[in-house]
């Protein structure tokens, strides 16, 4: 006969579940990017999967494999290719220091004479180099880790799709809130994911293309490379692709091409910057509204945790957290109201 009563046994089991759950979370912390990536891709491609299975009567396994191939071609391979391109270009720039020295000397002379900042370019390059080393580091050096992350991500996503009904039923069953709130949370999660991932992705690509076109028109070398840099910078709130036009304009001013400097500065800050605002309004109306504060704080949260992937995962995680707070607050108010009705306090 057990020395514990029914309630004590339940409490012991609950504590054991919590302890083992924390241990498992710690053990799986290295795969958190895979888990989060699978959730994001599942949310994005779920409507397409349902269309293939329900409208086109495709087998669920075949539909899942099609989605995996599409995501590889459209998202993963281009992202890795662009990252490798950036790293390779940065390496070639470091080897060819002659032009860099000339540019920094001109910029430092200009900022020293006009802004009382004689070492502006030199210090900025040092900070950017350190920041880039932290942001892109190990895309080439940790190929095994990247392959493992992708394999786990697609493994999870495959079973999410092929067993979608069981997966979603399980989520509803173990969700810590009522079914209508769970469905509301799922819809809000979908809107938040689309707004942060697809919306910001469209804005970033548009700004990068416009930046590359502008640099090409002004005959700035390596316009495509700087356009790719602009794509990554567009995920950073406040900074963005238009700020790339500022150092380029300073170079024009320092070289005596004042008209080009003014035109490039206007093109970047006025045209590219306003395109960002217009696209953001359209996306917020059609997909979902993500407050700029969420993007700012989310980026600072995501970068130390996920590296460059944190530009996307950080705002998404913060949005999920705020949604959970909203659901918790709704449940708490509902529970308080039911308690008042039960005790006869509510009139």
């Amino acid at each position: 006969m057990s020395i514990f009563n029914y309630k004590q046994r339940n409490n012991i089991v609950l504590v054991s579940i919590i302890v083992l759950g924390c241990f498992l979370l710690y053990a799986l912390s290295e795969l958190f990017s895979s888990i989060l990536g699978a959730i994001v891709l599942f949310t994005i491609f779920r409507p397409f999967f349902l269309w293939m299975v329900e409208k086109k009567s495709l087998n669920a396994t075949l539909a899942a494999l099609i989605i995996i191939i599409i995501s590889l071609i459209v998202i993963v391979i281009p992202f890795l290719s662009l990252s490798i391109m950036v790293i390779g270009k940065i390496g070639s720039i470091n080897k060819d220091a002659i032009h860099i020295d000339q540019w920094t000397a001109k910029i430092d002379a200009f900022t020293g004479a006009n802004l009382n900042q004689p070492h502006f370019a030199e210090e900025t390059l040092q900070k950017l180099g350190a920041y880039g080393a932290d942001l892109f580091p190990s895309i080439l050096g940790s190929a095994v880790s990247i392959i493992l992350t992708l394999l786990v991500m697609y493994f999870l996503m495959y079973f999410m799709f092929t067993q979608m009904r069981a997966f979603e039923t399980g989520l509803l069953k173990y969700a810590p809130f009522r079914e209508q709130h769970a469905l509301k949370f799922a819809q809000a999660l979908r809107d938040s994911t689309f707004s942060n991932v697809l919306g910001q992705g469209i804005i970033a690509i548009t700004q990068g293309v416009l930046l590359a076109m502008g640099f090409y028109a002004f005959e700035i070398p390596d316009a495509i490379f700087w356009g790719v840099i602009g794509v990554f910078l567009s995920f950073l709130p406040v900074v963005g692709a238009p700020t790339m036009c500022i150092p380029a304009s300073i170079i024009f001013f320092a070289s005596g091409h004042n008209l080009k400097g003014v035109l490039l500065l206007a093109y970047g800050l006025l045209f590219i910057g306003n395109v960002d605002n217009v696209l953001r309004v359209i996306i917020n109306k059609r997909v979902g509204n993500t407050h700029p504060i969420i993007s700012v704080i989310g980026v600072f949260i995501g970068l130390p945790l996920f590296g460059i992937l944190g530009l996307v995962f950080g705002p998404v995680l913060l949005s999920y957290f705020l949604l959970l707070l909203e659901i918790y607050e709704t449940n708490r108010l509902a529970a308080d109201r039911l308690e008042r009705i039960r005790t006869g306090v509510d009139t």
Side-chain angles (χ1 to χ4, degrees):
M1 181 117 182
S2 174
I3 63 173
F4 302 108
N5 59 35
Y6 178 77
K7 184 176 181 180
Q8 289 172 333
R9 287 197 297 270
N10 277 348
N11 290 335
I12 292 173
V13 171
L14 179 60
V15 171
S16 301
I17 290 173
I18 294 173
V19 171
L20 288 175
C22 292
F23 175 77
L24 290 174
L25 285 175
Y26 174 76
L28 294 173
S29 59
E30 295 296 325
L31 298 177
F32 190 67
S33 295
S34 301
I35 298 170
L36 186 58
I39 294 173
V40 169
L41 291 179
F42 175 80
T43 304
I44 292 174
F45 285 104
R46 183 180 181 275
F48 182 54
F49 176 82
L50 291 176
W51 177 80
M52 287 191 292
V53 172
E54 297 178 357
K55 299 293 183 182
K56 298 300 180 180
S57 301
L58 287 182
N59 180 272
T61 300
L62 178 59
L65 292 175
I66 291 174
I67 288 175
I68 289 174
I69 293 171
I70 291 175
S71 65
L72 273 171
I73 295 173
V74 175
I75 300 175
V76 176
I77 293 177
F79 181 83
L80 290 178
S81 300
L82 292 177
S83 300
I84 293 171
M85 169 188 164
V86 169
I87 294 174
K89 190 63 181 179
I90 290 175
S92 67
I93 289 176
N94 289 335
K95 294 175 184 177
D96 185 14
I98 299 176
H99 295 91
I100 295 295
D101 288 342
Q102 292 176 352
W103 289 353
T104 53
K106 291 180 179 179
I107 294 174
D108 285 341
F110 177 81
T111 55
N114 296 276
L115 304 175
N116 197 26
Q117 295 287 335
H119 303 291
F120 174 80
E122 181 181 353
E123 294 173 355
T124 302
L125 280 177
Q126 290 176 353
K127 292 178 181 179
L128 288 176
Y131 184 72
D134 292 336
L135 194 59
F136 290 99
S138 35
I139 291 184
L140 293 178
S142 59
V144 175
S145 175
I146 292 173
I147 293 173
L148 177 62
T149 299
L150 290 176
L151 286 176
V152 173
M153 181 183 74
Y154 281 120
F155 177 81
L156 293 174
M157 192 176 74
Y158 172 81
F159 285 104
M160 284 180 181
F161 279 122
T162 55
Q163 301 178 16
M164 186 177 69
R165 297 304 179 192
F167 171 66
E168 293 180 343
T169 301
L171 289 180
L172 285 175
K173 179 180 179 181
Y174 293 104
F177 28 74
R178 299 172 66 182
E179 183 174 346
Q180 61 267 34
H181 291 156
L183 294 175
K184 177 184 176 183
F185 173 75
Q187 181 62 36
L189 183 147
R190 173 192 173 277
D191 293 342
S192 174
T193 302
F194 271 72
S195 177
N196 281 294
V197 179
L198 292 184
Q200 189 57 46
I202 292 171
I203 292 173
I205 292 173
T206 303
Q207 285 194 325
V209 170
L210 291 175
L211 182 69
M213 292 172 59
F215 276 24
Y216 179 79
F218 283 92
E219 299 179 344
I220 295 176
D222 300 317
I224 296 178
F225 166 72
W226 295 116
V228 173
I229 295 294
V231 171
F232 288 115
L233 288 179
S234 294
F235 282 96
L236 297 174
V238 182
V239 182
T243 56
M244 291 290 296
C245 295
I246 296 176
S249 299
I250 293 177
I251 291 174
F252 279 137
F253 288 133
S255 303
H257 300 93
N258 295 334
L259 179 59
K260 281 188 174 182
V262 171
L263 291 176
L264 181 59
L265 198 60
Y267 174 79
L269 299 183
L270 298 181
F271 180 68
I272 299 180
N274 284 318
V275 166
D276 178 358
N277 296 330
V278 172
L279 287 176
R280 200 174 296 278
V281 170
I282 295 174
I283 290 168
N284 287 344
K285 287 183 178 180
R286 293 181 176 270
V287 179
N289 186 12
T290 300
H291 198 280
I293 292 179
I294 294 178
S295 299
V296 173
I297 299 177
V299 165
F300 285 106
I301 293 172
L303 286 177
L305 293 175
F306 307 106
I308 196 167
L309 293 176
L311 297 174
V312 175
F313 285 167
V316 169
L317 270 182
L318 184 57
S319 296
Y320 291 175
F321 174 74
L322 294 177
L323 287 173
L324 284 173
L325 285 181
E326 181 182 346
I327 295 295
Y328 170 78
E329 182 66 16
T330 302
N331 283 349
R332 188 181 64 82
L333 292 175
D336 290 345
R337 180 171 176 80
L338 288 175
E339 180 65 20
R340 289 197 301 268
I341 292 174
R342 188 182 68 81
T343 58
V345 176
D346 196 34
T347 56

